[in-house]
Amino acid sequence: MSFLRNLFKRRTKEVDITICGLASAGKTTIVRYLETGQFVETQPTMGINRGETIKVEKLEINIFDLGGQDDFRVLWPEVNENSNGVVFVVDKHDAMKFEEARLAFQEIVKSQIHEDVIVLILLHKNDIPGGMARSTFIQDFDLIDLSFKWACYETSAKTGENIFEAFRWFFDQLMEESS
Amino acid sequence: MKPLSLCLVQMGDKGLEMVSSHPKVLPKEVLNELTYKSMPMGAKAGEFASSSVGDLFYSSYIFSLPREGSRDNICAIIAVFNDMKYNIDGIRKIFSFLIKELETNTLLKLDLIEEILPNLYNGFSKGNIRIKISSVATITIDFENKTEEPIDETNVLEDDLWK
């Protein structure tokens, strides 16, 4: 039995992922959707929420949901530098904070994460009509020149739109990277 | 059980911020430190914390504040004392009761809490609180009976100026 357990353990890889983005972008709502499969109302994150460990096939995924307010961003580098994957959430309707989001994202990819980290960018709150188009966003957010393995999806944690697809891609990359 | 001051903290766009304090007797440095200490990392609505800031002691109750058209915010109501000789559990009961009553009456609003801070402070000094929160709702809390739950007199119309 212990042999089987050891064998299983060896095949199961533990990875850490961080969920970043500005305040009210929808980070915690996405984490709660992943945990429960449904939309859950949330409150602002006080610093860091250590979410449930999600088991997907051969991965045990520890989720670190980071508070998006200015004052909490000093915590990001330490968590991000130990991370195997980063999910960056952007509210596609918050045009006023787009530049701030872009700068925060550039800071992460330039100085906080290793080169083999998988990056998933979510253009979130897609259930509300309008907002920035994905193609414009990719260009304006300087994603084209990104040297990381990355993908960008338009998502909604209210309707569940593209959440599965986005994280399927993300977890597949993490599995590939850790095998 | 007279506090030195009562404070109200909320999560703002940039981080935690002090909304109001009554009376305004605390130095800026203490208020700044209190702002961050009153809501520890990972704090959730319904939690209660007690600790110290310099030579002062405080107890804070964290609660969720409904907002229209947006997600709920997270706030803390804090009582600051000169020493530790106060009934911590009594403070917890008073704060949780007050917030529950405001919520029940759909009056859980930051400006309203800010408005009743002086009444609450005076009540702490007198040993009982009677706060009129609407034309039909009054919250009464008797501090002398510290081990019992506060008395709910919501909707009691006696002595009601609005009658």
Side-chain angles (χ1 to χ4, degrees):
Chain A
M1 189 65 184
S2 63
F3 167 75
L4 285 175
R5 195 175 293 134
N6 287 338
L7 195 67
F8 177 73
K9 266 187 181 170
R10 256 184 271 139
R11 287 184 173 185
T12 306
K13 184 91 179 175
E14 196 175 336
V15 294
D16 293 342
I17 66 164
T18 51
I19 317 279
C20 303
L22 302 189
S24 297
K27 302 177 289 298
T28 307
T29 319
I30 289 170
V31 174
R32 300 293 289 140
Y33 192 93
L34 289 174
E35 289 170 348
T36 65
Q38 59 189 6
F39 172 71
V40 180
E41 292 281 0
T42 60
Q43 292 163 6
T45 302
M46 275 300 306
I48 302 172
N49 272 347
R50 170 69 163 79
E52 284 176 25
T53 297
I54 295 177
K55 289 176 186 170
V56 181
E57 293 166 28
K58 291 169 187 170
L59 282 184
E60 279 190 11
I61 303 153
N62 303 317
I63 303 177
F64 294 86
D65 173 19
L66 310 183
Q69 281 79 6
D70 266 8
D71 294 349
F72 297 135
R73 285 184 219 161
V74 290
L75 303 168
W76 290 10
E78 200 179 326
V79 187
N80 278 336
E81 72 178 21
N82 296 315
S83 182
N84 302 92
V86 168
V87 180
F88 194 87
V89 185
V90 179
D91 178 348
K92 70 178 290 186
H93 301 277
D94 201 349
M96 296 284 281
K97 288 188 181 167
F98 179 80
E99 182 58 13
E100 189 183 348
R102 193 186 69 80
L103 291 172
F105 177 74
Q106 291 300 328
E107 181 69 25
I108 290 172
V109 295
K110 278 180 184 157
S111 61
Q112 296 177 13
I113 56 177
H114 300 292
E115 56 191 13
D116 55 350
V117 165
I118 312 298
V119 178
L120 172 65
I121 302 107
L122 301 180
L123 199 48
H124 199 47
K125 304 189 183 177
N126 203 38
D127 53 289
I128 305 166
M132 185 174 276
R134 184 174 170 274
S135 53
T136 314
F137 173 77
I138 288 173
Q139 197 170 351
D140 292 355
F141 221 64
D142 301 330
L143 295 182
I144 293 164
D145 301 327
L146 210 59
S147 58
F148 296 87
K149 203 178 268 187
W150 66 273
C152 173
Y153 287 82
E154 287 175 294
T155 53
S156 166
K158 275 203 171 162
T159 61
E161 182 186 354
N162 277 339
I163 297 280
F164 175 80
E165 290 79 358
F167 280 89
R168 179 72 269 175
W169 175 86
F170 190 55
F171 294 153
D172 280 349
Q173 304 308 311
L174 286 169
M175 245 180 291
E176 201 176 286
E177 201 65 41
S178 60
S179 62
Chain B
M1 199 164 64
K2 186 185 172 186
L4 190 61
S5 184
L6 295 175
C7 307
L8 194 57
V9 167
Q10 74 159 349
M11 177 74 84
D13 287 342
K14 297 196 177 299
L16 293 172
E17 54 190 39
M18 181 67 67
V19 178
S20 181
S21 68
H22 180 87
K24 300 191 185 307
V25 292
L26 300 174
K28 198 179 169 191
E29 311 80 65
V30 171
L31 288 173
N32 286 344
E33 201 177 334
L34 206 53
T35 304
Y36 290 94
K37 282 192 155 183
S38 62
M39 266 199 262
M41 285 289 178
K44 300 260 187 314
E47 289 178 355
F48 182 79
S50 293
S51 188
S52 62
V53 175
D55 297 335
L56 305 173
F57 298 87
Y58 70 89
S59 289
S60 71
Y61 180 74
I62 297 151
F63 61 95
S64 177
L65 188 89
R67 284 192 296 197
E68 242 176 75
S70 178
R71 67 172 172 180
D72 290 359
N73 200 3
I74 191 165
C75 303
I77 184 164
I78 308 147
V80 186
F81 294 86
N82 270 321
D83 53 43
M84 276 191 80
K85 292 174 195 158
Y86 66 96
N87 183 344
I88 291 178
D89 197 46
I91 297 288
R92 183 187 62 77
K93 283 177 179 169
I94 290 161
F95 281 165
S96 63
F97 178 80
L98 177 73
I99 298 302
K100 198 180 111 210
E101 284 305 306
L102 290 171
E103 192 177 13
T104 306
N105 289 280
T106 55
L107 291 166
L108 191 48
K109 292 166 188 163
L110 208 60
D111 52 352
L112 183 80
I113 303 171
E114 203 179 335
E115 213 172 281
I116 63 174
L117 274 188
N119 272 349
L120 195 57
Y121 176 79
N122 291 336
F124 272 108
S125 311
K126 286 191 293 186
N128 61 71
I129 295 171
R130 193 173 172 79
I131 306 170
K132 195 166 170 53
I133 53 172
S134 76
S135 61
V136 291
T138 303
I139 295 176
T140 303
I141 305 171
D142 183 4
F143 295 178
E144 300 307 312
N145 194 5
K146 296 179 187 79
T147 53
E148 299 290 322
E149 283 296 323
I151 306 157
D152 180 3
E153 284 194 14
T154 303
N155 295 326
V156 169
L157 296 173
E158 282 175 58
D159 305 325
D160 193 337
L161 293 172
W162 294 70
K163 255 193 312 189

